[in-house]
Amino acid sequence: MHAATVSIHPLVIAGWCGLTTTAFNLLPVGSLDGGRAVQGAFGKSALIGFGLTTYAFLGLGVLGGPLSLPWGLYVLICQRAPEKPCLNDVTEVGTWRQAAVMTAIFLVVLTLVPVWDELAEELGIGLVSTF
């Protein structure tokens, strides 16, 4: 069973590309959608903290796989400036919206964190090498 080749439908590859691109767009930094959501829910000071954490994780992500390097460079070059805050913040953001933003960021982390070979084999995902 381990040596069997499973053919993957092209829509699976397209879905994976779309999921990964959306997850990178939800990174909480700069003027990406995740940065806008964090700034709207928690304020500009929280965006700075989330941004520094994101830069650190993108730097560490280079060790796990090459996919975070181009996105890290894209964020550093193009998306560093935060969004301009709203001119009339009349009401505070509710806690359920803050929880929704935190849930989205948690899902981004689950999507983008690389999985090592032993865990992938235990979960039955990824490539299994038989030597």
Side-chain angles (χ1 to χ4, degrees):
M1 186 69 169
H2 288 287
T5 303
V6 178
S7 61
I8 297 176
H9 196 275
L11 288 178
V12 173
I13 297 170
W16 179 83
C17 290
L19 181 69
T20 306
T21 304
T22 302
F24 275 117
N25 192 27
L26 280 174
L27 288 174
V29 64
S31 60
L32 295 174
D33 287 343
R36 292 175 181 162
V38 167
Q39 185 174 355
F42 301 107
K44 189 174 181 176
S45 60
L47 178 62
I48 293 170
F50 274 101
L52 292 175
T53 306
T54 302
Y55 290 138
F57 281 139
L58 283 173
L60 291 174
V62 172
L63 301 175
L67 191 59
S68 66
L69 181 62
W71 277 93
L73 292 175
Y74 172 71
V75 167
L76 280 175
I77 294 170
C78 299
Q79 302 292 328
R80 288 186 296 179
E83 281 293 307
K84 295 179 182 174
C86 296
L87 293 177
N88 53 355
D89 284 335
V90 179
T91 58
E92 292 291 323
V93 175
T95 56
W96 68 273
R97 288 186 180 175
Q98 290 177 344
V101 169
M102 291 306 294
T103 303
I105 291 172
F106 177 72
L107 291 174
V108 165
V109 169
L110 282 181
T111 303
L112 296 178
V113 169
V115 178
W116 56 93
D117 292 336
E118 292 82 18
L119 181 61
E121 191 171 335
E122 279 291 317
L123 295 174
I125 58 174
L127 298 175
V128 178
S129 59
T130 56
F131 290 107

